[in-house]
Structures are given as C-alpha cells and as structure tokens.
Amino acid sequence: MSSHDLKLYPFASNTVGHLVDDWHVSVVRAAMYTDSYGSSYIRDPGVKQTVKLIVESALRHDIYVIIDWHILEDGNPNLYKQQAKEFFREMARAYGGHPNVIYEICNEPNGPGVAWQEIKAYASFVIPAIRAIDPDSVIIVGTDSWSKGVDAAANAPLDFPNVMYALHFYAGSHRGELRGAADYALSKGLGVFVSEWGLTDYTGRGRLYFDEAEKWVLWMDQHKISWINWSVSPADEGSAALNPKVNIDGPWRASDIAPSGTWIKSRIHAD
C-alpha cells in the first residue's frame, strides 16, 4: 500500500504496523511529494521525517519499503535533480545497509518535452549517488507519460544493475492498450514494478471499476509483477482506502475502511 501526500496525510507511528498485522501487506510506499500543491519537500524539507518514520517502522516489521520522490506538478524530474541527489544520498547513508529498502527516484514524469531520454538523463545523474553508498538495493525509475511509458524504456534501458521501471495505471482509464505496451516491455526483458495503481479513473476520484481492476490484478499475478495500491489515507476520493475523518494511526474497524480499501484488503488476503 502507498501513502498519499505525506504533508496532508502523514502516516503515524502505528500505521505500518496495522497494515502488516491486519492487512498482511509486504511493502509500503512513502510518497513524499516534491513540489506539488505548494506544500511539499522543496518548500518544507521537514516532511522527510515522516519518510524516516515509515522506513523505520517497515524495518521493524521486516517488510519492504519504497522511498518515493513523488514528482507530479513538477513534471520534469530534472527540475530539482540536485535536491533529489542530495535527498537520496541522505536516505542511502541512513538505510543503505537494509536490502528491503527500495528507492523510487521519480514518481510520474510528465508534461511537454518530458520523454524517456530526459528521464534517462535524470536517472543517470541520481543513480550513481545512491550506488556510491548502496551498491545493491533496487531502484525504481518512473517512465514517461505519468509512468506509463515502459515500452519506450524497454527500447533504451539504463545501464545500471538492479533497476526496475515504474508502470502506473488507474483501472477506469487504462486498460488493454496499456497492458499491451507493458507486454512488449516484458518481452524485451524489462523489469516492471507497478508502484502505484488505483480502482478509479486517473483522477483518483469518482466510481470504482472493480471488473477492470480484477483484469489488471490477474495480469500482474500472471507476470509475477509486484504492485502497490493508492492510497492509505482518509482523503475524500474514491481511491482512498479509509473513509474521511478516520484516524490514519488506526486500528481500523470495518466501518472505517472505504470501498476501495475493503476490496484491496480482501485481494491481499486472497494472495
């Protein structure tokens, strides 16, 4: 499961524990927005303390954790590449000795001119800083068009070991055509990780598309692709796992869990 914006909906001390003990999750994602909505890391670096809380809680519970440099409105990852390099250097120094720590160096590159070559240049700038400290841990690189461009990445992959490529989808907006592009990437040997997906359309809001979500889950199971659902938060949107005003610290009663969270929780239990 992924967090939402850690400034708006910060995980508390017990959030990860409840996800492990009650939901049986094996990976959590700390989505640290970088410069979206005017209140993220570039403007308030103190949000990294919530990232550290999530990482350390995940380590205590012996599960995987993804440290996510969550670009969104700042669509070109090169915009803050120096800050990204410094941030991941700090995270690698703190947690590089733990094999269950994963670095997602750019969430959803997007916007005019932000093609795979731009992202590749950014990755080639940031990855060596991580590798100088942590030579082995998995690094996830976002792909173009809001991390849907795994086919372009497959045609020109990075020359680094232990790198995977992000595929993001929302069941109401992205269907067979995107799975076809992902099938192509897999056929080329690309390592694909679905580090974010939701049951709504791409806005994260509105109705839930259970039938389309099931198609995606079956496809991911077929290809043994790891996935993370958006999001553990009480946001007033369809993709939120918790109902509005529910305490994110937990524990959560069945009535606290929103329809998306209920479906995802049952799906995780089924696995």
Short mmCIF file of all heavy atoms in Angstrom, two decimals, residues 142-208:
data_model
loop_
_atom_site.label_atom_id
_atom_site.label_comp_id
_atom_site.label_asym_id
_atom_site.label_seq_id
_atom_site.Cartn_x
_atom_site.Cartn_y
_atom_site.Cartn_z
N GLY A 142 10.75 6.05 -12.72
CA GLY A 142 9.50 6.38 -13.39
C GLY A 142 9.70 6.50 -14.89
O GLY A 142 10.80 6.82 -15.37
N THR A 143 8.66 6.26 -15.63
CA THR A 143 8.72 6.34 -17.08
C THR A 143 7.86 7.50 -17.57
O THR A 143 7.15 8.14 -16.79
CB THR A 143 8.29 5.00 -17.72
OG1 THR A 143 6.98 4.65 -17.23
CG2 THR A 143 9.26 3.89 -17.37
N ASP A 144 7.93 7.80 -18.86
CA ASP A 144 7.24 8.99 -19.36
C ASP A 144 5.72 8.82 -19.34
O ASP A 144 5.20 7.73 -19.14
CB ASP A 144 7.74 9.33 -20.76
CG ASP A 144 7.43 8.26 -21.78
OD1 ASP A 144 8.26 7.34 -21.94
OD2 ASP A 144 6.36 8.32 -22.40
N SER A 145 5.02 9.93 -19.55
CA SER A 145 3.55 9.95 -19.59
C SER A 145 2.94 9.42 -18.30
O SER A 145 2.13 8.50 -18.29
CB SER A 145 3.03 9.16 -20.80
OG SER A 145 3.54 9.69 -22.00
N TRP A 146 3.39 10.01 -17.18
CA TRP A 146 2.88 9.60 -15.86
C TRP A 146 3.16 8.12 -15.58
O TRP A 146 2.34 7.38 -15.08
CB TRP A 146 1.39 9.91 -15.71
CG TRP A 146 1.06 11.37 -15.64
CD1 TRP A 146 1.02 12.16 -14.52
CD2 TRP A 146 0.73 12.23 -16.73
NE1 TRP A 146 0.68 13.46 -14.85
CE2 TRP A 146 0.50 13.53 -16.20
CE3 TRP A 146 0.62 12.04 -18.12
CZ2 TRP A 146 0.15 14.62 -16.99
CZ3 TRP A 146 0.28 13.13 -18.92
CH2 TRP A 146 0.05 14.38 -18.35
N SER A 147 4.37 7.70 -15.90
CA SER A 147 4.85 6.33 -15.66
C SER A 147 4.00 5.28 -16.37
O SER A 147 3.72 4.21 -15.83
CB SER A 147 4.94 6.03 -14.15
OG SER A 147 6.09 6.66 -13.61
N LYS A 148 3.67 5.58 -17.61
CA LYS A 148 3.03 4.58 -18.47
C LYS A 148 3.95 4.16 -19.62
O LYS A 148 3.61 3.22 -20.34
CB LYS A 148 1.71 5.12 -19.04
CG LYS A 148 0.66 5.43 -17.97
CD LYS A 148 -0.72 5.61 -18.56
CE LYS A 148 -0.82 6.80 -19.48
NZ LYS A 148 -0.68 8.10 -18.77
N GLY A 149 5.10 4.83 -19.78
CA GLY A 149 5.93 4.60 -20.95
C GLY A 149 6.97 3.52 -20.81
O GLY A 149 8.14 3.71 -21.18
N VAL A 150 6.58 2.36 -20.31
CA VAL A 150 7.56 1.28 -20.15
C VAL A 150 8.04 0.75 -21.50
O VAL A 150 9.15 0.19 -21.58
CB VAL A 150 6.99 0.13 -19.29
CG1 VAL A 150 6.91 0.55 -17.83
CG2 VAL A 150 5.63 -0.33 -19.80
N ASP A 151 7.25 0.91 -22.55
CA ASP A 151 7.69 0.44 -23.87
C ASP A 151 8.87 1.27 -24.37
O ASP A 151 9.84 0.72 -24.93
CB ASP A 151 6.54 0.44 -24.87
CG ASP A 151 5.74 1.74 -24.89
OD1 ASP A 151 5.91 2.58 -23.96
OD2 ASP A 151 4.93 1.91 -25.82
N ALA A 152 8.83 2.59 -24.16
CA ALA A 152 9.96 3.44 -24.56
C ALA A 152 11.21 3.09 -23.75
O ALA A 152 12.32 3.04 -24.30
CB ALA A 152 9.61 4.91 -24.38
N ALA A 153 11.03 2.85 -22.47
CA ALA A 153 12.18 2.47 -21.63
C ALA A 153 12.77 1.14 -22.08
O ALA A 153 13.99 0.95 -22.03
CB ALA A 153 11.75 2.40 -20.17
N ALA A 154 11.92 0.23 -22.53
CA ALA A 154 12.40 -1.08 -22.97
C ALA A 154 13.30 -0.96 -24.21
O ALA A 154 14.19 -1.79 -24.41
CB ALA A 154 11.22 -2.00 -23.27
N ASN A 155 13.06 0.07 -25.01
CA ASN A 155 13.87 0.26 -26.22
C ASN A 155 15.21 0.92 -25.93
O ASN A 155 16.10 0.88 -26.79
CB ASN A 155 13.10 1.10 -27.24
CG ASN A 155 11.93 0.34 -27.85
OD1 ASN A 155 11.99 -0.87 -28.00
ND2 ASN A 155 10.87 1.05 -28.20
N ALA A 156 15.36 1.52 -24.74
CA ALA A 156 16.62 2.19 -24.40
C ALA A 156 16.82 2.16 -22.89
O ALA A 156 16.79 3.20 -22.22
CB ALA A 156 16.61 3.63 -24.91
N PRO A 157 17.00 0.97 -22.31
CA PRO A 157 17.09 0.87 -20.85
C PRO A 157 18.37 1.48 -20.30
O PRO A 157 19.34 1.71 -21.03
CB PRO A 157 17.05 -0.64 -20.62
CG PRO A 157 17.59 -1.24 -21.87
CD PRO A 157 17.13 -0.33 -22.97
N LEU A 158 18.34 1.74 -19.02
CA LEU A 158 19.51 2.26 -18.32
C LEU A 158 20.57 1.17 -18.15
O LEU A 158 20.24 -0.01 -18.06
CB LEU A 158 19.09 2.78 -16.94
CG LEU A 158 18.29 4.07 -16.95
CD1 LEU A 158 17.38 4.15 -15.73
CD2 LEU A 158 19.22 5.28 -17.01
N ASP A 159 21.80 1.60 -18.06
CA ASP A 159 22.91 0.65 -17.93
C ASP A 159 23.37 0.59 -16.47
O ASP A 159 24.51 0.91 -16.14
CB ASP A 159 24.06 1.06 -18.86
CG ASP A 159 25.15 -0.01 -18.92
OD1 ASP A 159 24.85 -1.18 -18.59
OD2 ASP A 159 26.30 0.33 -19.29
N PHE A 160 22.45 0.21 -15.61
CA PHE A 160 22.75 0.04 -14.19
C PHE A 160 22.12 -1.27 -13.72
O PHE A 160 21.04 -1.65 -14.19
CB PHE A 160 22.16 1.18 -13.35
CG PHE A 160 22.75 2.53 -13.61
CD1 PHE A 160 22.10 3.44 -14.43
CD2 PHE A 160 23.95 2.91 -13.02
CE1 PHE A 160 22.62 4.70 -14.67
CE2 PHE A 160 24.49 4.16 -13.25
CZ PHE A 160 23.83 5.06 -14.08
N PRO A 161 22.75 -1.97 -12.78
CA PRO A 161 22.15 -3.20 -12.25
C PRO A 161 21.03 -2.89 -11.26
O PRO A 161 20.97 -1.81 -10.67
CB PRO A 161 23.33 -3.89 -11.54
CG PRO A 161 24.21 -2.75 -11.12
CD PRO A 161 24.08 -1.71 -12.21
N ASN A 162 20.16 -3.87 -11.06
CA ASN A 162 19.10 -3.80 -10.05
C ASN A 162 18.20 -2.58 -10.22
O ASN A 162 17.79 -1.96 -9.25
CB ASN A 162 19.69 -3.83 -8.63
CG ASN A 162 20.08 -5.22 -8.20
OD1 ASN A 162 19.95 -6.17 -8.96
ND2 ASN A 162 20.59 -5.34 -6.98
N VAL A 163 17.90 -2.25 -11.48
CA VAL A 163 16.98 -1.16 -11.77
C VAL A 163 15.68 -1.74 -12.32
O VAL A 163 15.69 -2.65 -13.15
CB VAL A 163 17.58 -0.17 -12.79
CG1 VAL A 163 16.53 0.79 -13.32
CG2 VAL A 163 18.72 0.61 -12.14
N MET A 164 14.56 -1.22 -11.83
CA MET A 164 13.26 -1.59 -12.35
C MET A 164 12.57 -0.32 -12.86
O MET A 164 13.03 0.80 -12.60
CB MET A 164 12.40 -2.28 -11.28
CG MET A 164 13.05 -3.54 -10.73
SD MET A 164 11.92 -4.50 -9.68
CE MET A 164 10.90 -5.28 -10.93
N TYR A 165 11.46 -0.50 -13.58
CA TYR A 165 10.81 0.61 -14.25
C TYR A 165 9.35 0.65 -13.84
O TYR A 165 8.67 -0.37 -13.84
CB TYR A 165 10.96 0.45 -15.77
CG TYR A 165 12.41 0.46 -16.19
CD1 TYR A 165 13.17 -0.70 -16.11
CD2 TYR A 165 13.02 1.62 -16.65
CE1 TYR A 165 14.52 -0.71 -16.46
CE2 TYR A 165 14.36 1.63 -17.01
CZ TYR A 165 15.11 0.46 -16.91
OH TYR A 165 16.44 0.46 -17.26
N ALA A 166 8.88 1.87 -13.49
CA ALA A 166 7.53 2.02 -12.95
C ALA A 166 6.49 1.98 -14.05
O ALA A 166 6.62 2.63 -15.08
CB ALA A 166 7.42 3.33 -12.18
N LEU A 167 5.44 1.22 -13.79
CA LEU A 167 4.22 1.23 -14.59
C LEU A 167 3.08 1.62 -13.65
O LEU A 167 2.85 0.96 -12.63
CB LEU A 167 3.94 -0.15 -15.18
CG LEU A 167 2.59 -0.31 -15.89
CD1 LEU A 167 2.53 0.54 -17.15
CD2 LEU A 167 2.32 -1.79 -16.22
N HIS A 168 2.39 2.72 -13.97
CA HIS A 168 1.25 3.17 -13.18
C HIS A 168 -0.02 3.10 -14.02
O HIS A 168 0.01 3.39 -15.22
CB HIS A 168 1.45 4.61 -12.70
CG HIS A 168 2.52 4.76 -11.67
ND1 HIS A 168 2.80 5.97 -11.06
CD2 HIS A 168 3.37 3.86 -11.12
CE1 HIS A 168 3.78 5.81 -10.19
NE2 HIS A 168 4.15 4.53 -10.22
N PHE A 169 -1.11 2.73 -13.38
CA PHE A 169 -2.39 2.72 -14.09
C PHE A 169 -3.52 2.96 -13.11
O PHE A 169 -3.38 2.75 -11.90
CB PHE A 169 -2.61 1.38 -14.83
CG PHE A 169 -2.78 0.19 -13.91
CD1 PHE A 169 -4.02 -0.13 -13.37
CD2 PHE A 169 -1.69 -0.60 -13.56
CE1 PHE A 169 -4.19 -1.21 -12.51
CE2 PHE A 169 -1.84 -1.69 -12.71
CZ PHE A 169 -3.08 -2.00 -12.19
N TYR A 170 -4.65 3.40 -13.65
CA TYR A 170 -5.90 3.52 -12.91
C TYR A 170 -6.96 2.78 -13.71
O TYR A 170 -7.11 3.01 -14.91
CB TYR A 170 -6.24 4.99 -12.64
CG TYR A 170 -5.43 5.51 -11.48
CD1 TYR A 170 -4.09 5.87 -11.64
CD2 TYR A 170 -5.96 5.52 -10.20
CE1 TYR A 170 -3.32 6.26 -10.56
CE2 TYR A 170 -5.21 5.93 -9.11
CZ TYR A 170 -3.88 6.28 -9.29
OH TYR A 170 -3.13 6.66 -8.21
N ALA A 171 -7.66 1.88 -13.03
CA ALA A 171 -8.48 0.89 -13.72
C ALA A 171 -9.56 1.50 -14.60
O ALA A 171 -9.93 0.92 -15.62
CB ALA A 171 -9.12 -0.06 -12.69
N GLY A 172 -10.06 2.69 -14.24
CA GLY A 172 -11.11 3.31 -15.04
C GLY A 172 -10.61 4.00 -16.29
O GLY A 172 -11.42 4.32 -17.17
N SER A 173 -9.31 4.22 -16.40
CA SER A 173 -8.75 4.97 -17.54
C SER A 173 -7.82 4.14 -18.41
O SER A 173 -7.68 4.42 -19.60
CB SER A 173 -7.99 6.20 -17.03
OG SER A 173 -8.83 7.09 -16.33
N HIS A 174 -7.15 3.17 -17.84
CA HIS A 174 -6.07 2.47 -18.55
C HIS A 174 -6.40 0.98 -18.60
O HIS A 174 -6.57 0.35 -17.56
CB HIS A 174 -4.74 2.70 -17.83
CG HIS A 174 -4.49 4.15 -17.52
ND1 HIS A 174 -4.30 4.62 -16.23
CD2 HIS A 174 -4.45 5.23 -18.33
CE1 HIS A 174 -4.12 5.93 -16.27
NE2 HIS A 174 -4.21 6.33 -17.53
N ARG A 175 -6.43 0.45 -19.81
CA ARG A 175 -6.92 -0.91 -19.97
C ARG A 175 -6.02 -1.72 -20.89
O ARG A 175 -4.80 -1.72 -20.72
CB ARG A 175 -8.37 -0.88 -20.46
CG ARG A 175 -9.26 -0.08 -19.49
CD ARG A 175 -10.72 -0.06 -19.86
NE ARG A 175 -11.47 0.77 -18.92
CZ ARG A 175 -12.77 0.93 -18.93
NH1 ARG A 175 -13.51 0.32 -19.84
NH2 ARG A 175 -13.36 1.69 -18.03
N GLY A 176 -6.60 -2.41 -21.85
CA GLY A 176 -5.84 -3.36 -22.65
C GLY A 176 -4.69 -2.77 -23.43
O GLY A 176 -3.64 -3.42 -23.60
N GLU A 177 -4.84 -1.53 -23.91
CA GLU A 177 -3.76 -0.92 -24.69
C GLU A 177 -2.50 -0.75 -23.84
O GLU A 177 -1.38 -1.01 -24.31
CB GLU A 177 -4.21 0.43 -25.23
CG GLU A 177 -3.17 1.10 -26.12
CD GLU A 177 -3.66 2.40 -26.72
OE1 GLU A 177 -4.85 2.75 -26.53
OE2 GLU A 177 -2.85 3.08 -27.37
N LEU A 178 -2.67 -0.32 -22.59
CA LEU A 178 -1.51 -0.16 -21.72
C LEU A 178 -0.92 -1.52 -21.34
O LEU A 178 0.30 -1.67 -21.26
CB LEU A 178 -1.88 0.64 -20.47
CG LEU A 178 -0.72 0.95 -19.52
CD1 LEU A 178 0.42 1.67 -20.23
CD2 LEU A 178 -1.22 1.78 -18.33
N ARG A 179 -1.78 -2.51 -21.11
CA ARG A 179 -1.24 -3.85 -20.84
C ARG A 179 -0.43 -4.35 -22.04
O ARG A 179 0.58 -5.04 -21.88
CB ARG A 179 -2.36 -4.82 -20.49
CG ARG A 179 -2.93 -4.61 -19.10
CD ARG A 179 -3.81 -5.77 -18.65
NE ARG A 179 -5.06 -5.84 -19.37
CZ ARG A 179 -6.17 -5.17 -19.06
NH1 ARG A 179 -6.17 -4.35 -18.01
NH2 ARG A 179 -7.28 -5.31 -19.76
N GLY A 180 -0.89 -4.01 -23.26
CA GLY A 180 -0.14 -4.40 -24.45
C GLY A 180 1.25 -3.77 -24.48
O GLY A 180 2.24 -4.43 -24.83
N ALA A 181 1.34 -2.48 -24.12
CA ALA A 181 2.64 -1.82 -24.06
C ALA A 181 3.52 -2.47 -23.00
O ALA A 181 4.74 -2.64 -23.20
CB ALA A 181 2.46 -0.33 -23.77
N ALA A 182 2.92 -2.84 -21.88
CA ALA A 182 3.68 -3.49 -20.82
C ALA A 182 4.12 -4.89 -21.25
O ALA A 182 5.23 -5.32 -20.93
CB ALA A 182 2.85 -3.56 -19.55
N ASP A 183 3.27 -5.61 -21.98
CA ASP A 183 3.66 -6.92 -22.50
C ASP A 183 4.88 -6.79 -23.40
O ASP A 183 5.79 -7.64 -23.37
CB ASP A 183 2.50 -7.55 -23.28
CG ASP A 183 1.40 -8.10 -22.39
OD1 ASP A 183 1.71 -8.46 -21.23
OD2 ASP A 183 0.25 -8.17 -22.84
N TYR A 184 4.90 -5.74 -24.23
CA TYR A 184 6.06 -5.51 -25.09
C TYR A 184 7.32 -5.29 -24.24
O TYR A 184 8.38 -5.87 -24.51
CB TYR A 184 5.81 -4.30 -25.99
CG TYR A 184 7.03 -3.87 -26.74
CD1 TYR A 184 7.45 -4.54 -27.90
CD2 TYR A 184 7.79 -2.78 -26.31
CE1 TYR A 184 8.59 -4.15 -28.58
CE2 TYR A 184 8.93 -2.39 -26.98
CZ TYR A 184 9.33 -3.07 -28.12
OH TYR A 184 10.47 -2.69 -28.78
N ALA A 185 7.21 -4.45 -23.21
CA ALA A 185 8.36 -4.19 -22.34
C ALA A 185 8.86 -5.46 -21.68
O ALA A 185 10.07 -5.72 -21.61
CB ALA A 185 7.99 -3.14 -21.29
N LEU A 186 7.93 -6.27 -21.21
CA LEU A 186 8.32 -7.54 -20.58
C LEU A 186 8.99 -8.46 -21.58
O LEU A 186 9.95 -9.16 -21.23
CB LEU A 186 7.09 -8.21 -19.97
CG LEU A 186 6.45 -7.49 -18.77
CD1 LEU A 186 5.11 -8.12 -18.43
CD2 LEU A 186 7.37 -7.51 -17.55
N SER A 187 8.51 -8.46 -22.80
CA SER A 187 9.12 -9.32 -23.83
C SER A 187 10.55 -8.91 -24.14
O SER A 187 11.35 -9.74 -24.61
CB SER A 187 8.28 -9.28 -25.11
OG SER A 187 8.47 -8.06 -25.83
N LYS A 188 10.88 -7.65 -23.86
CA LYS A 188 12.24 -7.15 -24.07
C LYS A 188 13.12 -7.34 -22.84
O LYS A 188 14.27 -6.93 -22.81
CB LYS A 188 12.19 -5.67 -24.44
CG LYS A 188 11.40 -5.35 -25.70
CD LYS A 188 12.18 -5.61 -26.96
CE LYS A 188 13.18 -4.50 -27.21
NZ LYS A 188 13.84 -4.66 -28.54
N GLY A 189 12.54 -7.96 -21.80
CA GLY A 189 13.31 -8.25 -20.59
C GLY A 189 13.33 -7.13 -19.57
O GLY A 189 14.15 -7.16 -18.64
N LEU A 190 12.46 -6.14 -19.70
CA LEU A 190 12.44 -5.03 -18.77
C LEU A 190 11.85 -5.47 -17.42
O LEU A 190 10.86 -6.19 -17.37
CB LEU A 190 11.59 -3.88 -19.33
CG LEU A 190 11.91 -2.49 -18.76
CD1 LEU A 190 13.22 -1.97 -19.33
CD2 LEU A 190 10.79 -1.50 -19.07
N GLY A 191 12.47 -5.02 -16.36
CA GLY A 191 11.93 -5.27 -15.01
C GLY A 191 10.86 -4.25 -14.68
O GLY A 191 11.15 -3.05 -14.58
N VAL A 192 9.62 -4.68 -14.54
CA VAL A 192 8.49 -3.77 -14.34
C VAL A 192 7.96 -3.91 -12.92
O VAL A 192 7.76 -5.02 -12.42
CB VAL A 192 7.37 -4.07 -15.36
CG1 VAL A 192 6.12 -3.25 -15.05
CG2 VAL A 192 7.85 -3.78 -16.77
N PHE A 193 7.71 -2.77 -12.28
CA PHE A 193 7.13 -2.72 -10.93
C PHE A 193 5.96 -1.76 -10.98
O PHE A 193 6.12 -0.60 -11.35
CB PHE A 193 8.18 -2.23 -9.93
CG PHE A 193 7.86 -2.49 -8.48
CD1 PHE A 193 8.73 -3.20 -7.68
CD2 PHE A 193 6.68 -2.03 -7.91
CE1 PHE A 193 8.45 -3.44 -6.33
CE2 PHE A 193 6.38 -2.26 -6.57
CZ PHE A 193 7.28 -2.97 -5.78
N VAL A 194 4.77 -2.21 -10.61
CA VAL A 194 3.60 -1.33 -10.56
C VAL A 194 3.60 -0.66 -9.18
O VAL A 194 3.03 -1.16 -8.22
CB VAL A 194 2.30 -2.10 -10.82
CG1 VAL A 194 1.09 -1.19 -10.64
CG2 VAL A 194 2.30 -2.69 -12.23
N SER A 195 4.29 0.48 -9.12
CA SER A 195 4.47 1.15 -7.83
C SER A 195 3.29 2.04 -7.46
O SER A 195 3.28 2.62 -6.37
CB SER A 195 5.77 1.95 -7.81
OG SER A 195 5.81 2.88 -8.88
N GLU A 196 2.29 2.15 -8.34
CA GLU A 196 1.05 2.85 -8.00
C GLU A 196 -0.06 2.45 -8.95
O GLU A 196 0.14 2.43 -10.17
CB GLU A 196 1.26 4.37 -8.07
CG GLU A 196 0.00 5.17 -7.72
CD GLU A 196 0.23 6.67 -7.80
OE1 GLU A 196 1.30 7.13 -7.37
OE2 GLU A 196 -0.66 7.38 -8.31
N TRP A 197 -1.21 2.12 -8.38
CA TRP A 197 -2.42 1.93 -9.19
C TRP A 197 -3.64 2.11 -8.32
O TRP A 197 -3.58 1.99 -7.09
CB TRP A 197 -2.42 0.55 -9.87
CG TRP A 197 -2.74 -0.62 -8.98
CD1 TRP A 197 -1.87 -1.32 -8.20
CD2 TRP A 197 -4.01 -1.26 -8.81
NE1 TRP A 197 -2.51 -2.34 -7.54
CE2 TRP A 197 -3.83 -2.32 -7.90
CE3 TRP A 197 -5.29 -1.01 -9.34
CZ2 TRP A 197 -4.88 -3.15 -7.50
CZ3 TRP A 197 -6.33 -1.84 -8.93
CH2 TRP A 197 -6.13 -2.89 -8.03
N GLY A 198 -4.76 2.42 -8.96
CA GLY A 198 -5.99 2.62 -8.22
C GLY A 198 -7.20 2.06 -8.94
O GLY A 198 -7.15 1.75 -10.13
N LEU A 199 -8.31 1.97 -8.23
CA LEU A 199 -9.54 1.40 -8.77
C LEU A 199 -10.41 2.43 -9.49
O LEU A 199 -11.40 2.06 -10.11
CB LEU A 199 -10.36 0.75 -7.65
CG LEU A 199 -9.98 -0.67 -7.25
CD1 LEU A 199 -8.72 -0.68 -6.40
CD2 LEU A 199 -11.12 -1.36 -6.50
N THR A 200 -10.05 3.71 -9.42
CA THR A 200 -10.83 4.78 -10.03
C THR A 200 -10.31 5.08 -11.44
O THR A 200 -9.53 4.32 -11.99
CB THR A 200 -10.72 6.04 -9.19
OG1 THR A 200 -9.34 6.45 -9.13
CG2 THR A 200 -11.23 5.81 -7.78
N ASP A 201 -10.72 6.23 -12.00
CA ASP A 201 -10.05 6.72 -13.19
C ASP A 201 -8.78 7.46 -12.75
O ASP A 201 -8.43 7.49 -11.56
CB ASP A 201 -10.98 7.60 -14.02
CG ASP A 201 -11.36 8.91 -13.35
OD1 ASP A 201 -10.73 9.30 -12.32
OD2 ASP A 201 -12.28 9.57 -13.84
N TYR A 202 -8.08 8.06 -13.71
CA TYR A 202 -6.76 8.62 -13.42
C TYR A 202 -6.79 9.78 -12.43
O TYR A 202 -5.75 10.13 -11.83
CB TYR A 202 -6.09 9.09 -14.72
CG TYR A 202 -6.70 10.33 -15.32
CD1 TYR A 202 -6.19 11.60 -15.01
CD2 TYR A 202 -7.79 10.27 -16.18
CE1 TYR A 202 -6.76 12.75 -15.55
CE2 TYR A 202 -8.36 11.41 -16.72
CZ TYR A 202 -7.84 12.63 -16.40
OH TYR A 202 -8.40 13.77 -16.93
N THR A 203 -7.94 10.37 -12.18
CA THR A 203 -8.03 11.47 -11.22
C THR A 203 -7.94 10.99 -9.78
O THR A 203 -7.72 11.79 -8.87
CB THR A 203 -9.34 12.25 -11.38
OG1 THR A 203 -10.44 11.42 -11.00
CG2 THR A 203 -9.53 12.73 -12.81
N GLY A 204 -8.14 9.71 -9.55
CA GLY A 204 -8.21 9.19 -8.19
C GLY A 204 -9.57 9.36 -7.55
O GLY A 204 -9.79 8.93 -6.42
N ARG A 205 -10.49 9.97 -8.28
CA ARG A 205 -11.81 10.28 -7.72
C ARG A 205 -12.90 9.47 -8.41
O ARG A 205 -12.65 8.75 -9.37
CB ARG A 205 -12.09 11.78 -7.86
CG ARG A 205 -11.05 12.65 -7.19
CD ARG A 205 -11.33 14.13 -7.34
NE ARG A 205 -10.29 14.92 -6.70
CZ ARG A 205 -10.26 15.22 -5.41
NH1 ARG A 205 -11.22 14.79 -4.61
NH2 ARG A 205 -9.28 15.95 -4.90
N GLY A 206 -14.12 9.61 -7.90
CA GLY A 206 -15.26 9.01 -8.58
C GLY A 206 -15.44 7.54 -8.30
O GLY A 206 -14.98 7.00 -7.30
N ARG A 207 -16.15 6.89 -9.24
CA ARG A 207 -16.56 5.50 -9.05
C ARG A 207 -15.38 4.55 -9.12
O ARG A 207 -14.28 4.89 -9.58
CB ARG A 207 -17.58 5.11 -10.12
CG ARG A 207 -17.08 5.23 -11.55
CD ARG A 207 -17.99 4.56 -12.56
NE ARG A 207 -17.90 3.11 -12.51
CZ ARG A 207 -18.25 2.30 -13.52
NH1 ARG A 207 -18.76 2.82 -14.64
NH2 ARG A 207 -18.12 1.02 -13.42
N LEU A 208 -15.63 3.33 -8.64
CA LEU A 208 -14.62 2.27 -8.66
C LEU A 208 -14.93 1.28 -9.78
O LEU A 208 -16.08 0.90 -9.98
CB LEU A 208 -14.59 1.55 -7.31
CG LEU A 208 -14.37 2.44 -6.08
CD1 LEU A 208 -14.34 1.58 -4.82
CD2 LEU A 208 -13.11 3.26 -6.20
#
